[in-house]
PDB file of all heavy atoms in Angstrom:
ATOM      1  N   PRO A 634      43.489   3.342   3.990  1.00 97.00           N
ATOM      2  CA  PRO A 634      43.939   4.736   3.826  1.00 97.00           C
ATOM      3  C   PRO A 634      45.291   4.983   4.491  1.00 97.00           C
ATOM      4  O   PRO A 634      45.689   4.244   5.380  1.00 97.00           O
ATOM      5  CB  PRO A 634      42.849   5.556   4.533  1.00 97.00           C
ATOM      6  CG  PRO A 634      41.735   4.620   4.803  1.00 97.00           C
ATOM      7  CD  PRO A 634      42.320   3.238   4.854  1.00 97.00           C
ATOM      8  N   ASN A 635      45.937   6.042   4.047  1.00 98.00           N
ATOM      9  CA  ASN A 635      47.165   6.550   4.664  1.00 98.00           C
ATOM     10  C   ASN A 635      48.314   5.547   4.662  1.00 98.00           C
ATOM     11  O   ASN A 635      48.895   5.251   5.691  1.00 98.00           O
ATOM     12  CB  ASN A 635      46.884   7.025   6.099  1.00 98.00           C
ATOM     13  CG  ASN A 635      47.946   7.990   6.579  1.00 98.00           C
ATOM     14  OD1 ASN A 635      48.435   8.817   5.790  1.00 98.00           O
ATOM     15  ND2 ASN A 635      48.328   7.893   7.827  1.00 98.00           N
ATOM     16  N   PHE A 636      48.645   5.079   3.479  1.00 98.00           N
ATOM     17  CA  PHE A 636      49.780   4.161   3.336  1.00 98.00           C
ATOM     18  C   PHE A 636      51.044   4.813   3.888  1.00 98.00           C
ATOM     19  O   PHE A 636      51.400   5.929   3.526  1.00 98.00           O
ATOM     20  CB  PHE A 636      49.977   3.818   1.858  1.00 98.00           C
ATOM     21  CG  PHE A 636      51.109   2.869   1.596  1.00 98.00           C
ATOM     22  CD1 PHE A 636      51.216   1.690   2.307  1.00 98.00           C
ATOM     23  CD2 PHE A 636      52.062   3.156   0.635  1.00 98.00           C
ATOM     24  CE1 PHE A 636      52.263   0.798   2.070  1.00 98.00           C
ATOM     25  CE2 PHE A 636      53.107   2.274   0.375  1.00 98.00           C
ATOM     26  CZ  PHE A 636      53.210   1.098   1.103  1.00 98.00           C
ATOM     27  N   ASN A 637      51.706   4.105   4.786  1.00 98.00           N
ATOM     28  CA  ASN A 637      52.976   4.591   5.325  1.00 98.00           C
ATOM     29  C   ASN A 637      53.806   3.383   5.766  1.00 98.00           C
ATOM     30  O   ASN A 637      53.419   2.238   5.492  1.00 98.00           O
ATOM     31  CB  ASN A 637      52.738   5.585   6.480  1.00 98.00           C
ATOM     32  CG  ASN A 637      51.952   4.963   7.622  1.00 98.00           C
ATOM     33  OD1 ASN A 637      51.782   3.746   7.703  1.00 98.00           O
ATOM     34  ND2 ASN A 637      51.462   5.812   8.516  1.00 98.00           N
ATOM     35  N   VAL A 638      54.922   3.619   6.411  1.00 98.00           N
ATOM     36  CA  VAL A 638      55.804   2.499   6.750  1.00 98.00           C
ATOM     37  C   VAL A 638      55.094   1.538   7.707  1.00 98.00           C
ATOM     38  O   VAL A 638      55.188   0.316   7.572  1.00 98.00           O
ATOM     39  CB  VAL A 638      57.132   2.995   7.344  1.00 98.00           C
ATOM     40  CG1 VAL A 638      58.017   1.823   7.763  1.00 98.00           C
ATOM     41  CG2 VAL A 638      57.869   3.872   6.335  1.00 98.00           C
ATOM     42  N   SER A 639      54.354   2.096   8.676  1.00 97.00           N
ATOM     43  CA  SER A 639      53.682   1.227   9.645  1.00 97.00           C
ATOM     44  C   SER A 639      52.675   0.305   8.976  1.00 97.00           C
ATOM     45  O   SER A 639      52.604  -0.884   9.284  1.00 97.00           O
ATOM     46  CB  SER A 639      52.966   2.065  10.713  1.00 97.00           C
ATOM     47  OG  SER A 639      53.852   2.994  11.263  1.00 97.00           O
ATOM     48  N   SER A 640      51.875   0.861   8.058  1.00 97.00           N
ATOM     49  CA  SER A 640      50.880  -0.012   7.429  1.00 97.00           C
ATOM     50  C   SER A 640      51.564  -0.941   6.429  1.00 97.00           C
ATOM     51  O   SER A 640      51.163  -2.087   6.258  1.00 97.00           O
ATOM     52  CB  SER A 640      49.750   0.797   6.799  1.00 97.00           C
ATOM     53  OG  SER A 640      50.239   1.648   5.789  1.00 97.00           O
ATOM     54  N   ALA A 641      52.631  -0.457   5.800  1.00 98.00           N
ATOM     55  CA  ALA A 641      53.399  -1.327   4.895  1.00 98.00           C
ATOM     56  C   ALA A 641      53.887  -2.571   5.635  1.00 98.00           C
ATOM     57  O   ALA A 641      53.838  -3.680   5.117  1.00 98.00           O
ATOM     58  CB  ALA A 641      54.583  -0.562   4.320  1.00 98.00           C
ATOM     59  N   GLU A 642      54.329  -2.363   6.873  1.00 98.00           N
ATOM     60  CA  GLU A 642      54.854  -3.486   7.653  1.00 98.00           C
ATOM     61  C   GLU A 642      53.780  -4.538   7.914  1.00 98.00           C
ATOM     62  O   GLU A 642      54.091  -5.703   8.155  1.00 98.00           O
ATOM     63  CB  GLU A 642      55.415  -2.991   8.992  1.00 98.00           C
ATOM     64  CG  GLU A 642      56.755  -2.306   8.861  1.00 98.00           C
ATOM     65  CD  GLU A 642      57.285  -1.802  10.197  1.00 98.00           C
ATOM     66  OE1 GLU A 642      57.237  -2.549  11.202  1.00 98.00           O
ATOM     67  OE2 GLU A 642      57.714  -0.637  10.254  1.00 98.00           O
ATOM     68  N   ARG A 643      52.525  -4.140   7.893  1.00 98.00           N
ATOM     69  CA  ARG A 643      51.458  -5.122   8.103  1.00 98.00           C
ATOM     70  C   ARG A 643      51.042  -5.789   6.794  1.00 98.00           C
ATOM     71  O   ARG A 643      50.590  -6.926   6.792  1.00 98.00           O
ATOM     72  CB  ARG A 643      50.244  -4.448   8.756  1.00 98.00           C
ATOM     73  CG  ARG A 643      50.242  -4.641  10.273  1.00 98.00           C
ATOM     74  CD  ARG A 643      49.294  -3.680  10.953  1.00 98.00           C
ATOM     75  NE  ARG A 643      49.914  -2.357  11.026  1.00 98.00           N
ATOM     76  CZ  ARG A 643      49.266  -1.212  11.122  1.00 98.00           C
ATOM     77  NH1 ARG A 643      47.960  -1.192  11.120  1.00 98.00           N
ATOM     78  NH2 ARG A 643      49.918  -0.075  11.199  1.00 98.00           N
ATOM     79  N   ILE A 644      51.180  -5.047   5.679  1.00 98.00           N
ATOM     80  CA  ILE A 644      50.650  -5.583   4.416  1.00 98.00           C
ATOM     81  C   ILE A 644      51.624  -6.547   3.736  1.00 98.00           C
ATOM     82  O   ILE A 644      51.223  -7.643   3.337  1.00 98.00           O
ATOM     83  CB  ILE A 644      50.276  -4.417   3.470  1.00 98.00           C
ATOM     84  CG1 ILE A 644      49.186  -3.545   4.107  1.00 98.00           C
ATOM     85  CG2 ILE A 644      49.773  -4.974   2.131  1.00 98.00           C
ATOM     86  CD1 ILE A 644      48.902  -2.253   3.368  1.00 98.00           C
ATOM     87  N   TYR A 645      52.904  -6.145   3.598  1.00 98.00           N
ATOM     88  CA  TYR A 645      53.825  -7.020   2.853  1.00 98.00           C
ATOM     89  C   TYR A 645      53.804  -8.476   3.368  1.00 98.00           C
ATOM     90  O   TYR A 645      53.757  -9.402   2.561  1.00 98.00           O
ATOM     91  CB  TYR A 645      55.264  -6.462   2.883  1.00 98.00           C
ATOM     92  CG  TYR A 645      55.444  -5.148   2.142  1.00 98.00           C
ATOM     93  CD1 TYR A 645      55.913  -4.013   2.789  1.00 98.00           C
ATOM     94  CD2 TYR A 645      55.156  -5.049   0.776  1.00 98.00           C
ATOM     95  CE1 TYR A 645      56.092  -2.808   2.104  1.00 98.00           C
ATOM     96  CE2 TYR A 645      55.333  -3.848   0.087  1.00 98.00           C
ATOM     97  CZ  TYR A 645      55.798  -2.727   0.762  1.00 98.00           C
ATOM     98  OH  TYR A 645      55.979  -1.540   0.090  1.00 98.00           O
ATOM     99  N   PRO A 646      53.828  -8.696   4.698  1.00 98.00           N
ATOM    100  CA  PRO A 646      53.876 -10.085   5.174  1.00 98.00           C
ATOM    101  C   PRO A 646      52.594 -10.871   4.911  1.00 98.00           C
ATOM    102  O   PRO A 646      52.617 -12.096   4.933  1.00 98.00           O
ATOM    103  CB  PRO A 646      54.081  -9.926   6.691  1.00 98.00           C
ATOM    104  CG  PRO A 646      54.634  -8.564   6.874  1.00 98.00           C
ATOM    105  CD  PRO A 646      54.008  -7.731   5.799  1.00 98.00           C
ATOM    106  N   ALA A 647      51.488 -10.166   4.677  1.00 98.00           N
ATOM    107  CA  ALA A 647      50.206 -10.858   4.525  1.00 98.00           C
ATOM    108  C   ALA A 647      49.894 -11.190   3.069  1.00 98.00           C
ATOM    109  O   ALA A 647      49.036 -12.027   2.795  1.00 98.00           O
ATOM    110  CB  ALA A 647      49.084  -9.989   5.114  1.00 98.00           C
ATOM    111  N   ALA A 648      50.589 -10.553   2.147  1.00 98.00           N
ATOM    112  CA  ALA A 648      50.191 -10.639   0.735  1.00 98.00           C
ATOM    113  C   ALA A 648      50.482 -12.014   0.132  1.00 98.00           C
ATOM    114  O   ALA A 648      51.517 -12.617   0.403  1.00 98.00           O
ATOM    115  CB  ALA A 648      50.933  -9.574  -0.064  1.00 98.00           C
ATOM    116  N   ASP A 649      49.564 -12.482  -0.689  1.00 98.00           N
ATOM    117  CA  ASP A 649      49.822 -13.649  -1.528  1.00 98.00           C
ATOM    118  C   ASP A 649      50.362 -13.210  -2.889  1.00 98.00           C
ATOM    119  O   ASP A 649      51.228 -13.845  -3.452  1.00 98.00           O
ATOM    120  CB  ASP A 649      48.528 -14.449  -1.752  1.00 98.00           C
ATOM    121  CG  ASP A 649      48.019 -15.070  -0.471  1.00 98.00           C
ATOM    122  OD1 ASP A 649      48.804 -15.775   0.200  1.00 98.00           O
ATOM    123  OD2 ASP A 649      46.838 -14.841  -0.120  1.00 98.00           O
ATOM    124  N   LEU A 650      49.787 -12.128  -3.396  1.00 98.00           N
ATOM    125  CA  LEU A 650      50.137 -11.688  -4.750  1.00 98.00           C
ATOM    126  C   LEU A 650      50.541 -10.223  -4.722  1.00 98.00           C
ATOM    127  O   LEU A 650      49.867  -9.390  -4.118  1.00 98.00           O
ATOM    128  CB  LEU A 650      48.928 -11.880  -5.687  1.00 98.00           C
ATOM    129  CG  LEU A 650      49.188 -11.630  -7.179  1.00 98.00           C
ATOM    130  CD1 LEU A 650      50.155 -12.661  -7.741  1.00 98.00           C
ATOM    131  CD2 LEU A 650      47.874 -11.656  -7.970  1.00 98.00           C
TER     132      LEU A 650
END
Side-chain angles (χ1 to χ4, degrees):
N635 201 38
F636 181 50
N637 59 14
V638 177
S639 308
S640 61
E642 284 179 46
R643 263 164 282 156
I644 299 171
Y645 294 121
D649 294 307
L650 187 66

